[in-house]
Amino acid sequence: LSDRFFPYAAIQTDAVLSLDEHTSISTSEVDFAFVVWRSFPERIVGFPTQSHFWDPEQRRWGYTSKWTNEISIVLTAAAFYHRYYHSLFTEYLPMGLRELVDGLAACEDILMNVLVAAVTKLPPIKVT
């Protein structure tokens, strides 16, 4: 899964539109998200969101897709972000984290959000 964030030479634009195969959005939604991303190119800008939280009963982190006004994760199933993050994901993150994501066959979008938030100290932006 982490190969989707490899810094391929064929990606020559600063903006990367990441879409999963089951994502369905209109061209006007893509256009709007791109306009928002151009104003905030250091952030992940996209549609499906989740929020992370600390579960004191289970003593671990969790995440939810419940509809709230506060979000902490924009899923890369439909999101714009800067291509620079491909290089950071591949070259900066410890190999063990990428191997964990690949082994789980999930959570690569969470890892990307954590990476971007760690670098920018900013949350993602949800567009509707």
Side-chain angles (χ1 to χ4, degrees), residues 34-47:
F34 181 65
V35 168
V36 173
W37 178 85
R38 285 191 345 197
S39 296
F40 303 97
E42 71 282 6
R43 295 161 83 168
I44 298 176
V45 175
F47 297 93

Side-chain angles (χ1 to χ4, degrees), residues 111-123:
L111 184 55
M112 178 60 91
N113 273 263
V114 170
L115 171 66
V116 173
V119 169
T120 65
K121 308 294 188 250
L122 295 168

Side-chain angles (χ1 to χ4, degrees), residues 58-76:
Q58 296 191 21
R59 297 173 48 183
R60 66 178 186 166
W61 290 99
Y63 62 96
T64 181
S65 57
K66 288 182 182 177
W67 189 267
T68 68
N69 288 330
E70 295 183 14
I71 59 103
S72 56
I73 300 167
V74 167
L75 302 179
T76 56

Side-chain angles (χ1 to χ4, degrees), residues 8-16 83:
Y8 295 102
I11 302 173
Q12 297 182 2
T13 61
D14 285 343
V16 173
R83 72 178 171 156

Side-chain angles (χ1 to χ4, degrees), residues 61-101:
W61 290 99
Y63 62 96
T64 181
S65 57
K66 288 182 182 177
W67 189 267
T68 68
N69 288 330
E70 295 183 14
I71 59 103
S72 56
I73 300 167
V74 167
L75 302 179
T76 56
F80 279 99
Y81 54 85
H82 199 284
R83 72 178 171 156
Y84 173 65
Y85 296 124
H86 283 183
S87 294
L88 289 182
F89 194 94
T90 302
E91 299 162 14
Y92 173 76
L93 284 177
M95 177 65 84
L97 290 176
R98 293 192 315 273
E99 289 172 349
L100 177 64
V101 163

